[in-house]
Amino acid sequence: MVDYHAANNQSLYSAGGQQIYMEQENDWDRDLLLDPAWEKQQRKTFTAWCNSHLRKAGTQIENIEEDFRDGLKLMLLLEVISGERLPKPERGKMRVHKINNVNKALDFIASKGVKLVSIGAEEIVDGNAKMTLGMIWTIILRFAIQDISVEETSAKEGLLLWCQRKTAPYKNVNVQNFHISWKDGLAFNALIHRHRPELIDYDKLRKDDPVTNLNNAFEVAERYLDIPKMLDAEDIVGTLRPDEKAIMTYVSCFYHAFSGAQKAETAANRICKVLAVNQENEHLMEDYEKLASDLLEWIRRTIPWLENRAPEKTMTEMQQKLEDFRDYRRVHKPPKVQEKCQLEINFNTLQTKLRLSNRPAFMPSEGRMVSDINGAWHKLEGAEKGYEEWLLNEIRRLERLDHLAEKFRQKAAIHESWTDGKEAMLTQKDYETATLSEIKALLKKHEAFESDLAAHQDRVEQIAAIAQELNELDYYDSPSVNARCQKICEQWDALGSLTQSRRESLERTEKQLESIDELYLEYAKRAAPFNNWMEGAMEDLQDMFIVHNIEEIQGLITAHDQFKSTLPEANKERESIQAIQAEVHKIAQYNGIKLAGNNPYTTITPQSIDKKWEKVQQLVPQRDQALQEELARQQSNDHLRRQFANQANMIGPWIQNKMEEIGRISIEMNGTLEDQLTHLRQYEQSIIEYKPNIDQLEGDHQLIQEALIFDNKYTAYTMEHLRVGWEQLLTTIARTINEIENQILTRDAKGISQEQLHEYRTSFNHFDKDHSGVLHAEEFKACLISLGYDVENNKQKRTGIMDGDDFRALLISTGNSLGDAEFARIMGIVDPNNSGAVTFQAFIDFMSRETTDTDTADQVIASFKILAGDKNYITAEELRRELPPDQAEYCIARMAPYTGPDAVPGALDYMSFSTALYGESDL
C-alpha cells in the first residue's frame, strides 16, 4: 500500500513548471471572496478529510475555522498525516500562545517545500474562514495530491490522468476536469465499479438521475471503502460549477484507496478462493458426519423395536402394534429413505469437489462409511420384513384364539346349565319308599336320563378338545380355561359314577315293579332325542363362525340350506310325539283315570318341546341374516382385493418401465449436460407427480389389512415389493441427476468443452457393450486408446474416435502389453476399490486431470508470500487486514506458529498451512 502520509523532506517544486503550478494553486487572494456554494462544499469536504485523519488520534473537529484557532488540533493533524513529531505546543489560553502554535504548524508546512502565500497565523487564530480553508487546501495538496504520479505526470494532472484511464470503458463518462465532469455522479460510480464491481450495479444507473448516482457512490464508499462522505449530492447538482478543490480532495481518497492494492488483492483473492473451497468441503464433511450419525442412530433405535417378537395378549394390543408399524412405514421411514439417498449424493458430490480442487479424498469416521450405512439399512429392512410377517401371524393366532375361547365359553355354559341339579337328582333315595309303579317309573326315567347323558358325551369331549387347542396355541387365559374344563370333566365323571350307582339300586328292586305305561315310555324315549336334536340345532344356529373368503361362507350357507330342508321332517316327528301325549290324556279321560302328574319318565314336557321348536324357528332366519351379512363382507373383501390388484398390476409395470427408461437416459447423449439435467429433473418431477397413485395404493392396502385379508389371488404384486420398487426408483433418478451435476462440476472446474464431453460419452458408450453403465478393465483400456491416449508413453494424443481399422492398427503398433504397468497405475486412480469396473464419472475425472491444471500448494504459498511482504511468515494483523474477517480467522485458527530463524512474536507459518490444504501427498 502507498503511504501517502510519509514525510518527504525533499522539495519537488524546484522544477520551473511544477513550482509555478503549485504557486498558482497556493495563491490565495485576501480580497477575493469565495463563491458561497464553493465555500460550503469546501467546508464540508475539508472537515471530513481532516476528521478522517484526526480520528486515528481519537479526536475530531466540528467547525473548521473555530477548532483550529488554538493551533493544537492543527499540529496534531500534521503529526498524524506526516508521521513526524512537531515541536511541543504551548498550553496557554492567551492569544500569543495560540499564534505561536499556529506558527509552528505553518513553519512545518513550509519545511516541506510548500510556499504559503497570504496565509498568516493571525488570520487562523482570528477564525478567518477563507484563510483557514486555504491553509487546509495547501496541506491536502502537499500530503494527499503531490505524490500522485501517473506516466510522467504528477499531482493534479497525474490524478486526472488516473481517473481518465480508470473510467475510459464506461458509457456516459468523460472525465476532463474536477468540476463539471463529476456532476452527474457516474464518474464516481465508475471508479468504484472498476475496482470493486461487486459493490455497484453500474448498468442500472441513469445519467438523468444525478442525485441518486451521487448518493449511491458516497454511501458505498463510506460503507465499504472507509472513505467518509465529504460532499452533498444536492449541493453538487444545485451548483452550476462544483468546487474543484472539494472534488479533487474527495477523488484523491479514491486514488489512495485503490492504487497499489492490485497485487495484494490478487493474492488475497487466490487465498480466499482456496480457503472457501476448504471451508465448504469441511462444512460438507461435518454435514455428512452428522447426517450419517443421525441416520445410524435412528436405525440402531429402530431395529430392536422391529426385532421385538414379544406377543400381546389381546387382539386390540396386537392391532395397535400393526397400526404403529403402518405409521412407521407411512410417516417415519420415507423421510429416512430420502435422508439415505441424500447422504449418498452428498458423499459423491463431496468426493467430486475434493478431486476437482486437488484435495485428498474424504474418509468418514469409523462406522460411518456409506457401506456401513447400507449394511445397517439392509439389517433394518430384514427386521422390518420379518416383523410384518410376525404381526400378521400373531393377529391370525389371536383371532383363532378369541374364536375358540368364545366357543369354549358357550359350550361350557350350555353344559353347566344342563348339569345343574343332576347330582342332587342322582343321589336322592326316592326309590326306597316308592310303589312298584313308581319304581318302574323311576327306572324308565333313569334310562331316559342315561340316554340324555350319552347324548351330552360329545359336548364334553368338544369342550376338552377346545381347551387343549387353546393350551397348544398359548392362550393368555389358559389357566382359567383349564380350571373350568377340569371342573366340567370331574363333574362328568361324578355324574357317570352316580348314574351307574342309581341304576344298580333301581335294578335290585326291578323284580318287584311292573311295567309302567307304554305310552309314557314311548313319549319319553322319543321326546329325549328330539329334545337333544333341538338343543343341538339351537346350539348350531347360534354357533360363531369365521371365514376368510367367499367359498367358505358359501359352504356354510349350503350347509344351512340343507339343515332347513330337514325341518319339515322334524316337524312331523314333533307332531307325532305330541300325539302320544294327547293319546295318554284321551285314554285317561276315556277310562276316568286321574293322572297323578306329569310323565314320570321324563322332564321334557310338550310345552318345552313347543317352546324349543319355536326358538329353532326364530333362530333360522337370524342365522340366514348372519350368513348373508358375512357373504356381503366377503364380497366386499373380494372387491378390495380386485381394487388393490388393478392398481398394483398397473403400478408394478410402470415402476419397472421407469427404471428401464432411467437406465437408457443415463447412457444416452441428448443435448448439453444442462439440457440432460433439465430433462432429468422434469422426468423426476413426473415421477414425483405419480406419488398420489402410490398413496392411493397404500390406502387400498390399509383397507385390506384392516379387513384382515391375508391373500390376493388377483395379483402377484405385494405392497412390500411395490414400496421397495418405488424407493429404488426415487433413489435411482436422484443418483442419475447427481451424476450429471457432478459432470457439470467437473466440466466447469476443469474447463472441459461440451464437444470433449460428447466425445468422452460417445466413446464410453461405444465400449460399454453390455450397457451396464460401467467399463470393465479391457473395455476401459480400449476406450482410452480410441481417444488417442498412449498407454505406453502416458500421454494423450487427442486424435479423436477411431474406426475399426485404425483401432486395430493402433493395437498392433502399441504391442500386446499396452503398457501393463502404466495401465495398472491408471486403474488404481479410476478404480481405487479394485471393483474391476470404471464409472463414467471416474472416467471423465481422469481425462480432465490429464488435460487440465488446478491450483497448487506452491501457488497458494506464493500468494501468502505477497500478503506477507516477501517474509517467510505472516502475522494475524496482516491476515485480518488483507482477507475477509471469516477467512482471516479461519487461517489464524489453523496456522501453526512460525519457528524459523527470522521468527518474531506472533509469527504464523503459512507455508505448512498451504501444503496441508492439498494433503500429505503434496508435501
Side-chain angles (χ1 to χ4, degrees), residues 20-47:
I20 292 171
Y21 164 72
M22 289 303 298
E23 288 175 355
Q24 291 174 348
E25 289 291 340
N26 288 321
D27 190 12
W28 205 273
D29 188 348
R30 285 177 177 273
D31 300 325
L32 180 62
L33 294 176
L34 280 172
D35 182 285
W38 288 3
E39 181 177 349
K40 180 181 179 182
Q41 292 174 17
Q42 286 185 14
R43 186 185 299 275
K44 177 175 180 62
T45 302
F46 293 175
T47 301

Side-chain angles (χ1 to χ4, degrees), residues 607-624:
Q607 293 79 13
S608 68
I609 290 176
D610 287 341
K611 185 177 180 180
K612 289 181 180 179
W613 177 256
E614 183 180 353
K615 180 66 173 178
V616 169
Q617 295 295 99
Q618 293 173 352
L619 290 175
V620 168
Q622 292 177 9
R623 183 73 168 184
D624 282 331

Side-chain angles (χ1 to χ4, degrees), residues 30-76:
R30 285 177 177 273
D31 300 325
L32 180 62
L33 294 176
L34 280 172
D35 182 285
W38 288 3
E39 181 177 349
K40 180 181 179 182
Q41 292 174 17
Q42 286 185 14
R43 186 185 299 275
K44 177 175 180 62
T45 302
F46 293 175
T47 301
W49 185 87
C50 292
N51 283 335
S52 71
H53 297 288
L54 286 173
R55 68 184 180 186
K56 300 173 184 176
T59 187
Q60 64 179 9
I61 62 172
E62 299 292 338
N63 187 305
I64 196 165
E65 66 267 24
E66 290 295 328
D67 292 347
F68 285 141
R69 289 179 62 182
D70 60 3
L72 295 176
K73 288 189 177 179
L74 179 59
M75 295 178 70
L76 181 61

Side-chain angles (χ1 to χ4, degrees), residues 414-430:
I414 292 172
H415 178 78
E416 289 165 348
S417 175
W418 178 82
T419 59
D420 184 39
K422 293 297 187 291
E423 289 188 19
M425 181 194 74
L426 292 172
T427 56
Q428 63 183 340
K429 305 294 184 180
D430 53 341

Side-chain angles (χ1 to χ4, degrees), residues 588-754:
Q589 185 179 6
Y590 181 80
N591 293 293
I593 300 173
K594 293 183 178 180
L595 298 175
N598 294 328
N599 190 324
Y601 304 121
T602 181
T603 59
I604 302 171
T605 66
Q607 293 79 13
S608 68
I609 290 176
D610 287 341
K611 185 177 180 180
K612 289 181 180 179
W613 177 256
E614 183 180 353
K615 180 66 173 178
V616 169
Q617 295 295 99
Q618 293 173 352
L619 290 175
V620 168
Q622 292 177 9
R623 183 73 168 184
D624 282 331
Q625 181 180 356
L627 291 172
Q628 290 302 318
E629 288 175 352
E630 180 61 25
L631 177 61
R633 189 175 77 88
Q634 290 301 326
Q635 289 172 339
S636 174
N637 289 352
D638 201 61
H639 172 72
L640 290 177
R641 290 186 181 98
R642 292 176 183 274
Q643 179 174 299
F644 176 85
N646 290 338
Q647 279 291 97
N649 290 337
M650 289 189 298
I651 291 175
W654 183 88
I655 291 175
Q656 181 62 32
N657 181 54
K658 293 300 178 185
M659 289 291 288
E660 294 173 356
E661 289 182 7
I662 293 172
R664 287 195 300 272
I665 291 173
S666 66
I667 63 174
E668 291 175 353
M669 299 171 295
N670 295 320
T672 65
L673 289 179
E674 285 75 7
D675 294 338
Q676 296 176 40
L677 185 60
T678 300
H679 178 60
L680 281 172
R681 284 176 174 160
Q682 292 172 349
Y683 200 79
E684 181 184 40
Q685 184 60 35
S686 70
I687 291 175
I688 293 173
E689 290 172 355
Y690 196 75
K691 181 64 163 55
N693 295 289
I694 303 297
D695 295 337
Q696 179 182 349
L697 191 65
E698 286 280 8
D700 293 343
H701 181 252
Q702 181 170 344
L703 293 176
I704 284 179
Q705 287 197 330
E706 289 173 351
L708 298 177
I709 301 172
F710 304 111
D711 59 346
N712 194 338
K713 63 184 179 181
Y714 302 113
T715 181
Y717 293 102
T718 67
M719 196 65 234
E720 174 64 26
H721 294 153
L722 294 177
R723 284 194 200 103
V724 171
W726 175 252
E727 292 169 359
Q728 289 178 345
L729 178 61
L730 292 177
T731 300
T732 301
I733 187 65
R735 286 172 176 166
T736 304
I737 289 174
N738 180 243
E739 289 175 1
I740 298 299
E741 291 173 337
N742 285 340
Q743 291 175 28
I744 292 174
L745 281 173
T746 303
R747 180 199 66 192
D748 295 343
K750 300 297 185 178
I752 301 174
S753 67
Q754 188 66 37

